[in-house]
Amino acid sequence: MQTTRTTKRTRYITIVLALLIAIASLFGAGMRVKAEEQTSGVLAELEVDETFNVENYPAKEKDYSLDVIQLAETSSGTIVLYVYQPSGDKLRASTVNISAGIKQDKPVYNYALEYVASEETIAKYTVIGLTVSDEVVRTYDVVSIFRKWDKAIDKDAGNDNHVSEVAYPVGKCWSVCSVDGKTLYRCTETETVTITDKLVGMVQYADGLNWNALEFKHSHFVAFKTDRNIDKLYEAYVLYNTQLATVKVLTGNVTYGDKEQHYDTIKYDEIVTGSGNWFADRYKFNRIQTTEDFLATEEIKDESARNRIKGMDYVLRICETDYDQRSLGGKWFALDVITGIPHFIALATAETDITVVSDVSVLRLLFETDGVTYNVGVVDNKQTGSGIALNGKSIKDIPYWVWLVVAAVVLILIVTLCPPILSAVAALIKGAFNLIALPFKLIAQAAKNAKKNKGK
């Protein structure tokens, strides 16, 4: 992707590229490739370009990296990638990050890849969801390519994090133009930023007290370190999935809903504050924080996670989700307590919902270094956190006086909604008072009797 130093020239890029490609076609200097929808031979398609030599892509048994060596448009309007896989066909590419279009601010998207064929160390894939546009010059800035994580060859992410896809840098931008019935390609290198260490996590805040539930807010974050010196981080473009998980209170069985994919721009000047509900934690933070600021305000009880975050550069506060701990057995009413059986039915069927955030990946960073502003694509794995609050807050951390308030509220609701219960409670209190006062009454009565007997 381009840095903002080239912003003033953006409007001229289309014209310049078109002229360059047209001139290149006159001299036969543009790289050519004949991409077919149904492959006629991966190497045969690449060998249309006389500069291609398969010997430049040797087999390496224990090299599981991936590299995009050519992008091409097909006659049907799809986009295909030719990928160098040193280990052969043992591991296949899964997704790719591409920013398509001539505009500098064109966002990066993660596209699924469909395997077509392979020959020796070169594999061909179709990019799902990306088609040829009607622009005179089409550009495809390929930032990175992914494969599935493999426990046999890949390291564990640590701190109960899990990597679902491993990213490899590409850093190539293809410019494509059709001239006199021929499609010509130009490839230039582009800069990228690589995330070298990363921790996906969550902290929990008390979000108030409901009459039948303790409500919490989950704040999801990613702490990371890059291979670049970043003085000021202004924006981060991130990808993540959310999925609703429903938990049965008694059995603990979990059912999951469909995953929903999100692309969000995280900005440094966006501020998040806690609600003013009763017994809620009060919090305030910027979406983008330094690790020092994050650790100064968040009590990370997991020592290993805290020490690892210390070694990172920045923390992105991705999103907040709701979580209810229905300690009284789910949604119920005071009448259930009176009748008994309906309450047990409600308890047996009670459910609570929690949102799982997964496959977090940073796609782009807007930052400043040495007075120069960069808007650069990022090479970053897809990673999921443990799902456990790192600040250690749970239902056990609720102060005793909150439980007293809960008991008082429930008692008030019961006696208010059902007058017979109120009468019974009043009679019980009166009986207890009479029982306590009985010895004093007996003593007083004995003294009174003794005084009468003395006067006789």
Side-chain angles (χ1 to χ4, degrees):
M1 297 180 70
Q2 303 292 323
T3 68
T4 56
R5 290 175 293 181
T6 62
T7 302
K8 294 181 180 180
R9 294 179 292 172
T10 301
R11 58 182 175 179
Y12 302 115
I13 291 179
T14 302
I15 298 174
V16 172
L17 287 175
L19 289 174
L20 288 175
I21 294 176
I23 292 172
S25 67
L26 296 177
F27 292 93
M31 184 175 182
R32 295 178 296 164
V33 62
K34 186 179 180 181
E36 303 293 344
E37 188 69 29
Q38 299 298 325
T39 185
S40 58
V42 175
L43 296 183
E45 294 176 8
L46 291 171
E47 286 170 350
V48 172
D49 174 35
E50 297 177 355
T51 64
F52 174 78
N53 186 352
V54 70
E55 293 181 0
N56 294 331
Y57 306 98
K60 300 178 183 179
E61 184 179 356
K62 294 184 179 181
D63 186 346
Y64 304 105
S65 64
L66 305 173
D67 187 24
V68 179
I69 62 172
Q70 180 60 39
L71 175 146
E73 299 175 344
T74 68
S75 57
S76 63
T78 60
I79 308 299
V80 296
L81 300 179
Y82 297 87
V83 181
Y84 171 41
Q85 302 177 169
S87 62
D89 208 23
K90 294 179 181 179
L91 295 173
R92 294 178 178 175
S94 52
T95 60
V96 63
N97 283 355
I98 300 178
S99 174
I102 199 67
K103 293 182 180 179
Q104 182 184 354
D105 58 351
K106 201 74 172 181
V108 179
Y109 288 111
N110 182 249
Y111 298 93
L113 293 175
E114 182 180 353
Y115 173 79
V116 178
S118 61
E119 194 172 351
E120 296 189 26
T121 61
I122 310 299
K124 179 181 177 181
Y125 296 87
T126 299
V127 181
I128 305 301
L130 181 60
T131 57
V132 178
S133 71
D134 56 1
E135 295 175 333
V136 176
V137 178
R138 285 88 62 190
T139 63
Y140 306 92
D141 190 350
V142 184
V143 178
S144 59
I145 189 168
F146 298 76
R147 64 165 173 80
K148 296 293 185 181
W149 185 85
D150 191 314
K151 65 179 181 181
I153 60 177
D154 295 315
K155 293 182 179 180
D156 187 85
N159 295 99
D160 292 323
N161 274 219
H162 172 67
V163 175
S164 55
E165 291 185 57
V166 180
Y168 292 95
V170 178
K172 298 174 184 177
C173 183
W174 277 270
S175 302
V176 186
C177 183
S178 298
V179 180
D180 294 332
K182 296 181 179 180
T183 302
L184 299 177
Y185 299 84
R186 279 289 184 182
C187 181
T188 57
E189 293 187 358
T190 57
E191 58 185 336
T192 60
V193 170
T194 299
I195 287 184
T196 57
D197 197 11
K198 170 180 171 182
L199 177 68
V200 177
M202 177 265 289
V203 292
Q204 181 170 281
Y205 304 115
D207 199 34
L209 177 66
N210 198 331
W211 78 283
N212 73 326
L214 294 171
E215 298 179 347
F216 295 88
K217 186 74 72 175
H218 284 174
S219 175
H220 305 270
F221 70 89
V222 54
F224 66 93
K225 183 179 182 63
T226 73
D227 62 349
R228 299 277 291 269
N229 178 35
I230 299 177
D231 295 334
K232 298 178 181 179
L233 181 57
Y234 297 113
E235 284 185 8
Y237 189 54
V238 298
L239 166 69
Y240 62 94
N241 295 325
T242 57
Q243 187 177 25
L244 186 66
T246 301
V247 184
K248 293 287 187 181
V249 172
L250 285 186
T251 64
N253 293 336
V254 184
T255 56
Y256 293 93
D258 296 331
K259 284 188 177 182
E260 183 178 350
Q261 193 176 64
H262 303 265
Y263 290 92
D264 283 346
T265 299
I266 310 298
K267 298 183 177 182
Y268 80 102
D269 55 356
E270 182 181 352
I271 299 176
V272 180
T273 57
S275 63
N277 297 335
W278 282 11
F279 312 118
D281 290 332
R282 295 188 178 277
Y283 53 88
K284 181 179 180 180
F285 56 80
N286 289 75
R287 283 285 181 201
I288 297 178
Q289 298 177 290
T290 63
T291 53
E292 291 82 1
D293 289 341
F294 176 78
L295 292 174
T297 56
E298 300 298 342
E299 185 182 359
I300 304 300
K301 295 184 178 180
D302 186 316
E303 184 176 356
S304 175
R306 185 175 64 253
N307 290 334
R308 190 169 176 187
I309 293 172
K310 284 182 180 178
M312 308 287 187
D313 297 325
Y314 287 93
V315 176
L316 306 178
R317 308 298 288 263
I318 303 171
C319 65
E320 292 73 48
T321 58
D322 296 324
Y323 172 53
D324 293 346
Q325 287 186 346
R326 300 190 182 104
S327 57
L328 300 179
K331 294 181 177 179
W332 60 281
F333 300 97
L335 185 62
D336 297 336
V337 179
I338 300 169
T339 58
I341 294 178
H343 176 62
F344 285 111
I345 294 176
L347 179 62
T349 60
E351 298 176 343
T352 186
D353 294 331
I354 187 171
T355 300
V356 178
V357 174
S358 62
D359 300 326
V360 178
S361 184
V362 182
L363 305 181
R364 176 183 61 83
L365 291 177
L366 175 63
F367 62 92
E368 181 181 312
T369 298
D370 296 330
V372 180
T373 303
Y374 298 86
N375 191 7
V376 184
V378 178
V379 182
D380 181 30
N381 298 336
K382 294 182 182 179
Q383 191 166 314
T384 303
S386 66
I388 300 174
L390 295 181
N391 58 350
K393 292 187 176 182
S394 67
I395 196 170
K396 296 179 181 179
D397 296 308
I398 303 300
Y400 73 92
W401 56 267
V402 173
W403 292 113
L404 294 179
V405 173
V406 173
V409 170
V410 172
L411 181 61
I412 291 171
L413 288 172
I414 291 176
V415 299
T416 301
L417 294 176
C418 188
I421 293 293
L422 178 60
S423 300
V425 171
L428 182 63
I429 293 174
K430 184 177 180 180
F433 178 79
N434 290 337
L435 183 62
I436 294 172
L438 182 60
F440 300 97
K441 289 183 177 180
L442 293 176
I443 293 173
Q445 185 63 43
K448 184 178 180 180
N449 293 337
K451 184 176 181 179
K452 287 182 179 181
N453 293 332
K454 186 177 180 180
K456 291 181 178 179

